[in-house]
Amino acid sequence: MTGRMTGDDAIRRKIEALATTLTLPTVKRALGTLEGEHPSHRRFGSDDIMDIRPYEPGDEARRIDWRTSARNGRPMVVHRQRQVTSRVWMLMDTGREMTGSCESGEMAWQVAANGLRMFAALSLRRSDDISLVCADSASITRVPFHGGFAQFEHTLDRALERPWNHARNMDALLDYARRISDRNALIVLATDEHALGEPQLATMRTIARTHPMVVIDVATINPFVARRRAVADADTGRRLPALLINAVSASEVDTHRSYLAAQLEAELQAGGSTLMRASSSEAMFRTFVHTVSISLARTGFSTRPATVVHARDTAGKAGDRA
């Protein structure tokens, strides 16, 4: 194939490379810490052995195989294949508000979709079952999916080939999540920074009590920052008057959005959930890698020092840079 690689193509290749580079035990550990340990009567049973390695700080004692340890003269951890898979629910906000622009030039839905691809790449590597749900004010649709990562990309692309005519309905989407009966399922919610207010946060606190949850939060462009582009209202199409574009207005918007991002992060952390906030697909990829690295470091899997980056730091100033 000839021609110049687009930004979206470059990100997709990075996602594929990440999934193939990480070892299966690393993928399991990373996703396991994000979703929390959950019981499974077959998870560490008598299925096929996938990996044997020396015991490391942070490993569960129940994973030590004492016969193998006796033969090797030191504690050994045995990973066995799980025949019972986990389930990941990917909930995508497809309201027309997701057509808002980011500083990178992408639309919010494009950044959110790439965030879902990152989770799908690792989840499918772990042989998880994935359910994709798209929702706006007109409908909530569960999109059938069976296959590997390439099939997931195709399914997601087809699901997002839509007119984007209807407003979002975040309350209905969160109510759908609240009704998911499998309490071991990981819920990944993809939306933008304007969708979650206090009523939605209250519902998310309820969901977090029963399900592990990750929120992909896309930061859109600050309309008061003039960067050689005309900013228009999504509903009316009216352009922002030039006289309103100034540093004071831009700073006020930045401050308000940073406060809301910090509040959302604190709410999610209090409930044991994770926030991934960024202003572009490239920044979302870096945020995802950083989140996985932090998760591994907390379990003692990695010895490299890591510094937690708060949500407002990751997204920059209202979608500026990560």
Side-chain angles (χ1 to χ4, degrees):
M1 183 177 68
T2 60
R4 190 174 181 179
M5 184 186 301
T6 65
D8 190 58
D9 291 337
I11 286 296
R12 293 196 184 195
R13 291 196 177 187
K14 284 186 177 183
I15 295 171
E16 293 175 3
L18 176 68
T20 56
T21 301
L22 295 177
T23 64
L24 184 57
T26 302
V27 170
K28 288 184 176 182
R29 179 71 66 88
L31 290 178
T33 53
L34 286 176
E35 66 187 1
E37 290 292 338
H38 55 264
S40 172
H41 67 285
R42 297 184 63 187
R43 187 170 185 180
F44 305 108
S46 58
D47 299 315
D48 294 338
I49 294 177
M50 300 179 62
D51 180 52
I52 301 176
R53 60 173 177 79
Y55 174 85
E56 296 178 354
D59 287 331
E60 293 179 278
R62 59 178 174 155
R63 296 194 187 185
I64 298 176
D65 187 283
W66 297 108
R67 291 185 179 180
T68 305
S69 300
R71 288 196 298 267
N72 287 270
R74 56 175 174 171
M76 301 294 291
V77 173
V78 175
H79 293 273
R80 299 182 183 274
Q81 185 176 5
R82 290 183 303 136
Q83 299 298 329
V84 180
T85 60
S86 299
R87 179 173 292 278
V88 180
W89 289 83
M90 298 192 174
L91 309 183
M92 177 74 180
D93 175 8
T94 51
R96 64 169 173 264
E97 293 86 349
M98 293 294 287
T99 60
S101 297
C102 299
E103 187 65 29
S104 62
E106 300 169 283
M107 292 185 180
W109 68 263
Q110 294 174 311
V111 178
N114 281 327
L116 292 182
R117 290 187 180 96
M118 296 170 201
F119 273 95
L122 267 61
S123 297
L124 292 172
R125 179 77 186 281
R126 198 178 61 170
S127 300
D128 291 344
D129 293 329
I130 293 179
S131 294
L132 175 63
V133 179
C134 299
D136 56 27
S137 59
S139 64
I140 298 179
T141 306
R142 182 178 175 183
V143 183
F145 161 74
H146 300 284
F149 181 64
Q151 183 62 34
F152 175 83
E153 286 197 299
H154 177 73
T155 301
L156 182 59
D157 288 339
R158 291 290 300 274
L160 298 179
E161 291 176 357
R162 53 197 304 122
W164 300 89
N165 290 334
H166 303 286
R168 67 162 49 108
N169 190 342
M170 186 54 60
D171 291 334
L173 187 57
L174 290 175
D175 187 63
Y176 187 100
R178 187 174 59 84
R179 296 174 183 274
I180 294 175
S181 58
D182 182 4
R183 295 196 172 190
N184 294 332
L186 172 65
I187 297 176
V188 183
L189 174 66
T191 186
D192 69 16
E193 61 183 347
H194 310 290
L196 303 174
E198 183 54 40
Q200 290 75 35
L201 289 177
T203 305
M204 291 169 68
R205 284 192 289 269
T206 301
I207 297 172
R209 295 191 190 104
T210 57
H211 295 82
M213 190 173 189
V214 176
V215 177
I216 295 174
D217 187 40
V218 181
T220 55
I221 190 174
N222 185 336
F224 295 101
V225 178
R227 302 239 176 133
R228 297 181 182 178
R229 73 174 69 176
V231 178
D233 182 76
D235 293 325
T236 65
R238 295 178 179 177
R239 292 189 176 184
L240 188 68
L243 60 91
L244 296 179
I245 300 176
N246 55 65
V248 175
S249 298
S251 177
E252 290 178 352
V253 170
D254 285 341
T255 301
H256 180 66
R257 290 185 177 182
S258 295
Y259 169 78
L260 293 178
Q263 181 186 31
L264 176 60
E265 181 184 38
E267 288 280 354
L268 292 175
Q269 287 183 345
S273 301
T274 303
L275 175 67
M276 291 177 50
R277 184 172 186 267
S279 58
S280 67
S281 293
E282 181 67 35
M284 187 64 74
F285 180 80
R286 294 198 299 270
T287 301
F288 182 82
V289 172
H290 181 80
T291 302
V292 169
S293 300
I294 290 295
S295 299
L296 293 175
R298 285 173 177 170
T299 62
F301 195 78
S302 172
T303 57
R304 293 183 179 180
T307 302
V308 178
V309 176
H310 295 289
R312 55 183 178 276
D313 298 329
T314 304
K317 292 186 177 180
D320 193 8
R321 65 179 183 273

